[in-house]
Amino acid sequence: MLKSDEKYFWRNFLTLLILLILAMGILTFQQVLNVSQEESRNDELRLRSELEVLVAAVAPVFEQYPQLQRASAAEDISVGKQRATGTDYLRTLVTTAAQATALRITLINAEGEVLLDSSEDASKMNNHLFRPEVQMSLVESLGYVERYSNTLNKNFYYQAKAVRDLEGKILGFVRVARASEDLDMTISGLRWSVIQPALLVLGFMIGLAWWVVMKNSAVIQLLIDTTVAIAKGDYERRVPEARAQGMKRLADAINKMARQSAVRLQELTSERNRLQAIFAGMVEGVIDLDEDQRIAHINDEARRLLGLRLNPVGKHYWESIRANEIVDAVDEALTEDKVVQTEFEYKRGNENLQLKIYTVGLNDEEGGSLGSVIVLQDVTELRTLERVRTDFVANASHELKTPITAIRGLSETVLGDEQADRATLMSFMERIHAQSVRLSSLVLDLLTISRLEADSQTDSFSIMNFVELVRRAVMTARANADSKNLELVYDLPDTLSLEVFGDRQNLSQLVDNLIDNAIKYTPNGGVIKVSVCQQEQECMLKVADNGIGISPQYVDRVFERFYRVDKVRSQSLGGTGLGLSIVRNIAEKHGGTVSVVSQLGVGSTFTLRLPLAASQASRE
């Protein structure tokens, strides 16, 4: 069985060996990859450069000797001489360039016929117009492809470029190619030039690692043994400096640790007790006060709630926190040794927060005071919701009381007057019926709001044509508009299908409420216009009227529950004050918004925006 120092040696040496091999392997692989990629890029650039030079050299010849193109059978002798002269010049150019660059060079005329090729007899070569690189050069500035050459029976990397005159007319094509095996041989040589020195460096580093680990293994084992002894409580154990060799600083640190461990242990125990007490009483914002009532710790949430920009640590808490309720709570907690809970209103800048605080005194094991902890909780939103709920109950009770009181009074009158004639009874019954209808509408609207706020499911959602939905709502409301001699016009696109994702019943109720609201508050002879259009990725519905309008100070409140701009007129029209609140809830449930622009005595325009089904699906 291996001794402890031997196990340490082999464990560290093998670990270092694996790391060296991995590191050198990764570096060598990266270098080989970089060299291969760089050589490939350089070869491509060289091909492109040679191609550009050849195109520049060939273009004037193609322009000067147009007879290089396919000639008719009736060509004269002068044309043949000109072609021969141009061909000789190009043959010399291609031969010289091919020998200098070791590339295969091909000249092709505008019809795709091969004029010259540095590696093959051009007369035996097929038409090249539909070669991939040639076709690509017609669309882009440069055509390039790697493929198998049936002519030479091996893989080539081709680049081709169209030769054009000043007017952009194609005069022909120049193509250069390099055999893939030539590039592979070059890259293989470059790879070996990288791998060979890497292997030499790796061998040297392995030998050096062996020597270093062997030299330090004994010292490391000594340090381990000493540290284990100190951890077991032997604080008198020390590392001899004579045996520390190159790890003197580590040996000094271990010896210093042994001297300070006893002192630190007591300090850590006290600090642990403090932290445990703090976190046990923590709710949100936490402030830790020491025995002198100075702030020892304060978390970010407490600083945010109290609006403290500067760090108050080290100061008396009353110097930074100007709240008498907190001072009184701390004094009571320290005096009576109990948890003190209180709630108060705190002004933070322009905001009024409702804060609930818990204060508890901290004591050590001997009963001595360690200070106290203050825990703060922001209950502003909770109290606001409670107030909204109370207001809602009060408003709902008030609205329900009115028709109930009217029904009760009318029914008691009918029951108490046995001599009443039929006309009087019918009058009272009509009024009772009207109040019952109002009461029913109010209850239905309350149930609708409750359902909308409680139901967050989208099981009933489907994709629908919003334009058709609005068209049906307008047709339904036309009879009501005609009864008031109102002109109800609509601008709905016949060919545009704006699809939204939502609950058909809810959206129908939303549109009905907006149109009904416009009919109610537009005098006889007025005009109501309903329009639908698409704006970017949203469907927009506008309901505009020239009715009584809304004063600027009331515009922002029209969507509140039970809010009426003209209460007498609204009640006479049978309004419950919940219609626009329902509209807002439905719009928000469908990810949309509703707004109003109004001017007193001029009219109002309500605008609904809903995301289109396609845009909503892409966002989700």
Coordinates of all heavy atoms in Angstrom, one line a residue, residues 24-34 194:
M24 N -1.6 21.2 -23.9 CA -0.8 21.2 -25.2 C -1.6 20.7 -26.3 O -1.5 21.2 -27.5 CB 0.5 20.4 -25.0 CG 1.5 21.0 -24.0 SD 2.1 22.6 -24.6 CE 2.8 22.2 -26.2
G25 N -2.4 19.7 -26.1 CA -3.3 19.2 -27.2 C -4.2 20.2 -27.7 O -4.4 20.3 -28.9
I26 N -4.9 20.9 -26.8 CA -5.8 21.9 -27.2 C -5.1 23.1 -27.9 O -5.6 23.5 -29.0 CB -6.6 22.5 -26.0 CG1 -7.5 21.4 -25.4 CG2 -7.4 23.7 -26.4 CD1 -8.1 21.8 -24.1
L27 N -4.0 23.5 -27.4 CA -3.2 24.6 -28.0 C -2.7 24.1 -29.4 O -2.8 24.9 -30.4 CB -2.0 25.0 -27.2 CG -2.4 25.8 -25.9 CD1 -1.1 26.0 -25.1 CD2 -3.1 27.1 -26.2
T28 N -2.2 22.9 -29.5 CA -1.7 22.4 -30.8 C -2.8 22.3 -31.8 O -2.7 22.6 -32.9 CB -1.0 21.1 -30.6 OG1 0.1 21.2 -29.6 CG2 -0.4 20.6 -31.9
F29 N -3.9 21.7 -31.3 CA -5.1 21.5 -32.2 C -5.5 22.9 -32.7 O -5.9 23.1 -33.9 CB -6.2 20.8 -31.4 CG -7.5 20.7 -32.2 CD1 -7.6 19.8 -33.2 CD2 -8.5 21.6 -32.0 CE1 -8.8 19.7 -34.0 CE2 -9.7 21.5 -32.7 CZ -9.8 20.6 -33.7
Q30 N -5.6 23.9 -31.8 CA -6.0 25.2 -32.2 C -5.0 25.8 -33.2 O -5.5 26.4 -34.2 CB -6.1 26.1 -30.9 CG -6.7 27.5 -31.2 CD -8.1 27.4 -31.7 OE1 -8.9 26.6 -31.3 NE2 -8.5 28.3 -32.7
Q31 N -3.7 25.6 -32.9 CA -2.8 26.2 -33.9 C -2.9 25.5 -35.2 O -2.8 26.1 -36.3 CB -1.4 26.0 -33.3 CG -1.0 26.9 -32.1 CD -1.1 28.4 -32.5 OE1 -0.6 28.7 -33.6 NE2 -1.6 29.2 -31.7
V32 N -3.0 24.2 -35.2 CA -3.1 23.4 -36.4 C -4.4 23.9 -37.2 O -4.4 24.1 -38.4 CB -3.2 21.9 -36.2 CG1 -3.6 21.1 -37.4 CG2 -1.8 21.4 -35.7
L33 N -5.5 24.0 -36.4 CA -6.7 24.5 -37.1 C -6.6 25.9 -37.6 O -7.0 26.2 -38.8 CB -7.9 24.5 -36.0 CG -9.3 24.8 -36.6 CD1 -9.7 23.8 -37.6 CD2 -10.3 24.8 -35.4
N34 N -5.9 26.8 -36.9 CA -5.7 28.1 -37.3 C -4.8 28.2 -38.6 O -5.1 28.9 -39.6 CB -5.1 29.0 -36.3 CG -6.0 29.3 -35.1 OD1 -7.2 29.1 -35.3 ND2 -5.5 29.6 -34.0
V194 N 3.9 22.6 -37.0 CA 3.4 23.0 -35.7 C 3.5 21.9 -34.7 O 3.8 22.1 -33.5 CB 1.9 23.5 -35.9 CG1 1.3 23.8 -34.5 CG2 1.9 24.7 -36.8

